[in-house]
């Protein structure tokens, strides 16, 4: 029962005002516990009974404090914690539906104090849920997210309110900000996107707007990974049809046009632009470039806006430059973007490191796509063939076995370049002049522009050199260029994942067709004495060194 010492005169006040409420709730929670000490001393009291008492009579509003204490027992008693969370959700939903948490129309000090206390407890409850959403285990995060979204819906159902303030300054921005924290975890972000963002037009629209505002703040530098994770996970708004998905909160009819796909697309573009203009690390830049074709580009009304980001990314070099070219090629192919310097930049990536890099396989996959068109100039294709052939002279065997089939495929698509395979000197020249001409290669390796490299007038003597390679697999595959072109095309994908280890395992796994010849007597010296007596220069080492065994 009530502590009458703390509420003297309450009965007389009730008689005077005829108020059904029997409580005057203090603003201070510590004072509240002193007023009803019994409310938190009975841990065995059933949560459903506490809930029923609160909904039955305002005399038992203090049970809300007891339930809030149970909510804080997540590390001690999970079941009681979950029951208390759901019970408070039902309680506050009912109170909001009744109007018990709305400000009284008449200036009533007592009623105002009760409403203020309920709102204070409601904010404490929501704060606890946000904390659980940020730091709890996945099951707690999932329950907290569901309850917070339900309460947000209850707050804005059945009442006329400023919609902009509802979405931008209410509970929703706090939820999105917590989810944007990288430490919150990808699983709960995925749950939010699948169950809310992808299902409701208004949630998707305001998620983009909240992230745009959040990414513009200084605080966003440490949470940019979380912001990017949400944006990348949301399906691109392509604007193919201007329809509206179901709405989470029903707005006035005049506001429904706000959530069309065109409006969502504009909101998505604004969010992406803020992220792209921010200071991103190399790892973040790679993630953005990978998401460019499927997530970012479809959301832009004018894809040419992305040109600055892609060209800046190319200047980083390495695998980042390759991904940037992939994004540029997508814009050229799908959006009819004109970028004349594309193949010039692609040619510049063929340096001495490209065949030794970790991203070599990805490079050849993209290179095969970039040069797949049969309408490319033969002089351009010849430059790529010649430059890669020259780089093969210092490349590992695992790279060479991928380059040669790729060159073979280019010859099949561009027959004009097959003159490079075998080029005789001019028959009008004298024999001495012909030999002198053979010693000169017209290809200029240091030329940056593939259209002026002189590759089409050169020959592939590098591939013929590889036919004498020390590794038998390399020598065998280099001979396919000298044979007749009877095979239609090679699947380059079959050669991309070879390494020293895989090639060695292949050799060791083959059965020996012939037993190798070995020395049947173990010599004591590498060079015998009779070799020392031979006066030719080839045995100079034998004369100097003994190499005792």
């Amino acid at each position: 029962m009530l502590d009458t010492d703390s509420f003297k005169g309450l009965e007389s006040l009730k008689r005077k005002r005829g108020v059904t409420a029997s409580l005057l709730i203090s603003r201070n929670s510590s004072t509240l516990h002193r007023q009803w000490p019994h409310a938190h001393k009975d841990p065995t009291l059933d949560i459903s009974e506490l809930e029923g008492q609160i909904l039955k009579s305002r005399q038992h509003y203090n049970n809300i404090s007891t339930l809030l204490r149970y909510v804080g027992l997540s590390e001690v008693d999970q079941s009681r914690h979950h029951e208390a969370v759901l019970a408070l959700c039902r309680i506050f939903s009912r109170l909001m539906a009744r109007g018990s948490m709305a400000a009284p129309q008449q200036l009533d000090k007592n009623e105002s104090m009760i409403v203020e206390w309920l709102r204070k407890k409601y904010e404490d409850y929501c704060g606890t849920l946000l904390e659980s959403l940020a730091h709890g285990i996945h099951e707690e995060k999932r329950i907290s997210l569901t309850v917070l979204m339900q309460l947000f819906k209850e707050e804005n159902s059945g009442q006329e309110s400023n919609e902009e303030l509802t979405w931008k300054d209410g509970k929703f921005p706090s939820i999105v900000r917590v989810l944007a924290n990288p430490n919150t975890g990808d699983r709960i972000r995925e749950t939010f996107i699948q169950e809310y963002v992808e299902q409701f037009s208004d949630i998707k629209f305001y998620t983009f707007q909240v992230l745009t505002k959040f990414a513009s703040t200084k605080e966003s530098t440490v949470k940019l990974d979380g912001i990017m994770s949400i944006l990348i996970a949301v399906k691109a708004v392509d604007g193919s049809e201007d329809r509206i998905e179901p709405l989470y909160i029903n707005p006035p009819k005049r506001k429904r046009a706000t959530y069309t796909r065109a409006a969502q697309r504009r909101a998505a573009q604004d969010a992406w632009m803020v992220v792209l203009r921010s200071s991103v690390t190399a790892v973040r830049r790679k993630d953005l470039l990978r998401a460019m074709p499927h997530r970012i580009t479809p959301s832009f009304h004018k894809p040419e806006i992305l040109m600055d980001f892609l060209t800046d990314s190319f200047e980083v070099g390495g695998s980042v430059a390759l991904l940037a070219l992939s994004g540029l090629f997508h814009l050229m192919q799908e959006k009819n973007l004109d970028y004349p310097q594309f193949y010039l930049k692609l040619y510049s990536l063929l340096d001495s490191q490209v065949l030794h890099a970790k991203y070599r396989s990805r490079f050849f996959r993209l290179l095969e796509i970039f040069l797949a068109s049969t309408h490319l100039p033969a002089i351009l294709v010849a430059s790529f063939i010649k430059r890669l052939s020259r780089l093969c002279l210092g490349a590992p065997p695992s790279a060479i076995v991928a380059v040669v089939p790729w060159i073979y495929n280019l010859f099949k698509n561009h027959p004009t370049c097959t003159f490079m395979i075998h080029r005789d000197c001019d028959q009008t020249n004298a024999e001495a002049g012909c030999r002198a001409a053979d010693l000169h290669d017209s290809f200029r390796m240091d030329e940056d522009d593939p259209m002026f490299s002189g590759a089409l007038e050169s020959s592939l003597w590098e591939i013929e050199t590889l036919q004498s390679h020390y590794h038998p697999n390399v020598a065998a595959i280099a001979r396919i260029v000298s044979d007749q072109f009877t095979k239609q095309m090679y699947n380059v994908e079959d050669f991309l994942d070879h390494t020293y280890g895989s090639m060695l395992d292949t050799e060791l796994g083959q059965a020996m067709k012939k037993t190798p010849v070995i020395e049947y007597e173990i010599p004591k010296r590498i060079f015998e004495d009779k070799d020392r007596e031979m006066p030719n220069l080839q045995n100079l080492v034998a004369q100097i060194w003994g190499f005792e065994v």
Side-chain angles (χ1 to χ4, degrees):
M1 297 298 293
L2 299 179
D3 187 348
T4 55
D5 292 336
S6 301
F7 287 93
K8 295 179 180 180
L10 181 59
E11 292 299 326
S12 60
L13 178 63
K14 288 165 57 179
R15 287 193 299 270
K16 290 180 181 179
R17 303 187 59 88
V19 182
T20 57
S22 59
L23 298 178
L24 277 177
I25 304 176
S26 172
R27 300 180 185 180
N28 191 318
S29 60
S30 60
T31 305
L32 188 65
H33 289 307
R34 289 197 302 270
Q35 292 168 349
W36 293 285
H38 70 281
H40 57 85
K41 287 187 177 180
D42 187 5
T44 62
L45 194 62
D46 188 71
I47 289 179
S48 60
E49 184 177 349
L50 293 174
E51 179 184 355
Q53 292 176 356
I54 295 170
L55 296 176
K56 182 178 180 181
S57 173
R58 300 172 71 178
Q59 287 183 341
H60 302 285
Y61 275 0
N62 194 54
N63 288 346
I64 294 175
S65 299
T66 305
L67 292 176
L68 282 173
R69 294 186 68 251
Y70 289 150
V71 170
L73 298 177
S74 59
E75 299 180 358
V76 180
D77 191 341
Q78 283 284 339
S79 60
R80 187 171 288 273
H81 164 77
H82 292 163
E83 291 177 10
V85 167
L86 298 177
L88 283 171
C89 178
R90 292 189 294 267
I91 290 169
F92 284 118
S93 297
R94 293 279 186 88
L95 292 176
M96 283 186 282
R98 294 175 182 175
S100 301
M101 295 180 62
Q105 296 180 354
Q106 299 179 354
L107 295 178
D108 190 319
K109 182 178 179 181
N110 300 328
E111 289 292 331
S112 298
M113 291 177 62
I114 294 175
V115 171
E116 186 178 351
W117 184 85
L118 287 174
R119 289 181 176 179
K120 174 66 167 55
K121 292 301 177 183
Y122 178 66
E123 293 299 325
D124 293 344
Y125 173 55
C126 292
T128 304
L129 293 177
L130 289 172
E131 185 71 18
S132 179
L133 179 63
H135 304 293
I137 61 176
H138 179 68
E139 187 62 27
E140 292 179 13
K141 291 180 179 180
R142 189 180 181 88
I143 293 175
S144 299
L145 176 62
T146 303
V147 171
L148 283 168
M149 292 301 294
Q150 180 62 32
L151 292 173
F152 172 68
K153 186 175 184 178
E154 293 293 338
E155 285 181 19
N156 301 280
S157 297
Q159 62 177 3
E160 291 291 335
S161 60
N162 188 325
E163 193 173 6
E164 293 292 323
L165 295 178
T166 296
W167 286 96
K168 295 183 179 180
D169 297 323
K171 293 287 185 298
F172 185 73
S174 300
I175 297 172
V176 175
R177 283 173 178 265
V178 171
L179 292 172
N181 191 320
N183 299 325
T184 301
D186 292 331
R187 290 181 64 189
I188 191 61
R189 279 194 286 267
E190 183 179 354
T191 300
F192 173 70
I193 292 168
Q194 291 180 353
E195 297 184 4
Y196 296 99
V197 177
E198 299 293 357
Q199 301 298 325
F200 303 99
S201 295
D202 48 357
I203 291 181
K204 178 180 287 188
F205 176 80
Y206 283 108
T207 296
F208 288 137
Q209 289 209 339
V210 170
L211 291 177
T212 301
K213 183 178 179 181
F214 187 35
S216 304
T217 62
K218 295 182 179 180
E219 185 184 0
S220 66
T221 55
V222 296
K223 295 187 177 181
L224 193 59
D225 289 336
I227 296 173
M228 287 174 48
S229 298
I230 295 176
L231 290 175
I232 291 175
V234 177
K235 293 180 181 178
V237 184
D238 54 9
S240 56
E241 50 181 335
D242 203 12
R243 59 186 176 86
I244 303 177
E245 286 92 356
L247 300 178
Y248 194 66
I249 297 177
N250 291 323
K253 291 184 179 180
R254 65 180 184 276
K255 295 289 292 183
R256 294 184 67 87
T258 305
Y259 310 120
T260 59
R261 294 182 70 84
Q264 293 177 28
R265 196 179 183 190
R266 287 192 295 269
Q269 176 177 318
D270 294 340
W272 277 119
M273 284 304 301
V274 174
V275 173
L276 295 177
R277 289 170 179 169
S278 60
S279 178
V280 295
T281 62
V283 176
R284 290 172 178 169
R285 190 177 291 271
K286 285 183 179 180
D287 293 337
L288 290 171
L289 291 171
R290 292 190 186 101
M292 189 69 65
H294 308 294
R295 289 290 189 264
I296 302 178
T297 304
S299 300
F300 278 69
H301 291 278
K302 296 181 179 180
E304 57 270 19
I305 300 176
L306 298 170
M307 290 291 296
D308 291 339
F309 177 78
L310 292 172
T311 52
D312 290 344
S313 298
F314 180 83
E315 300 300 329
V316 176
S319 60
V320 177
L322 183 62
L323 290 171
L325 283 182
S326 178
L328 287 170
F329 187 77
H330 176 77
L331 293 178
M332 293 167 57
Q333 194 174 41
E334 300 296 332
K335 306 297 182 180
N336 297 322
L337 185 71
D338 186 22
Y339 191 69
Q341 294 184 332
F342 177 80
Y343 287 100
L344 183 63
K345 290 184 176 295
L346 177 62
Y347 190 70
S348 67
L349 294 180
L350 300 180
D351 55 16
S352 59
Q353 302 298 323
V354 69
L355 297 183
H356 300 266
K358 293 181 179 179
Y359 58 88
R360 182 183 65 212
S361 298
R362 190 190 321 136
F363 176 79
F364 276 106
R365 289 187 182 97
L366 293 175
L367 194 62
E368 188 176 23
I369 296 173
F370 297 157
L371 298 175
S373 175
T374 57
H375 300 288
L376 293 175
I379 191 171
L380 175 70
V381 176
S383 296
F384 280 90
I385 292 175
K386 181 65 177 178
R387 190 158 191 167
L388 273 173
S389 300
R390 183 69 60 84
L391 293 175
C392 281
L393 296 178
S398 55
I400 300 174
V401 296
V403 173
V404 177
W406 177 79
I407 291 176
Y408 181 95
N409 292 345
L410 284 182
F411 280 140
K412 295 291 290 186
N413 287 333
H414 302 272
T416 309
C417 297
T418 54
F419 291 102
M420 300 171 62
I421 299 176
H422 181 73
R423 185 181 297 278
D424 291 328
C425 62
D426 190 353
Q427 297 297 329
T428 61
N429 294 338
E431 182 177 355
C434 184
R435 291 176 180 174
D438 285 342
L439 295 176
H440 173 70
D441 191 344
S442 61
F443 174 69
R444 294 182 291 276
M445 187 70 176
D446 57 350
E447 175 60 50
D448 296 331
D449 193 336
M451 302 300 291
F452 300 100
S453 66
L456 197 59
E457 292 77 26
S458 180
S459 64
L460 293 184
W461 59 265
E462 297 92 348
I463 301 299
E464 186 175 357
T465 303
L466 294 176
Q467 294 175 2
S468 303
H469 197 276
Y470 75 89
H471 199 292
N473 289 353
V474 174
I477 202 167
R479 295 189 188 99
I480 66 174
V481 179
S482 300
D483 298 335
Q484 293 185 357
F485 280 36
T486 56
K487 186 175 177 61
Q488 184 62 26
M489 296 283 274
Y490 281 93
N491 185 9
V492 180
E493 189 69 31
D494 297 336
F495 303 92
L496 293 181
D497 296 326
H498 283 299
T499 61
Y500 273 117
S502 64
M503 298 180 74
L504 179 61
D505 292 339
T506 301
E507 287 294 320
L508 295 177
Q510 292 180 353
M512 290 188 297
K513 297 180 179 179
K514 183 179 179 182
T515 304
V517 179
I518 60 175
E519 182 68 50
Y520 67 94
E521 290 183 1
I522 301 177
K524 295 181 180 180
R525 288 174 174 269
I526 295 179
F527 301 106
E528 298 294 339
D529 292 336
K530 61 181 181 179
D531 294 330
R532 293 175 180 271
E533 298 173 359
M534 297 179 65
N536 55 44
L537 295 177
Q538 295 180 354
N539 295 305
L540 180 61
V541 177
Q543 298 174 21
I544 298 175
W545 303 98
F547 294 107
E548 294 288 348
V549 178

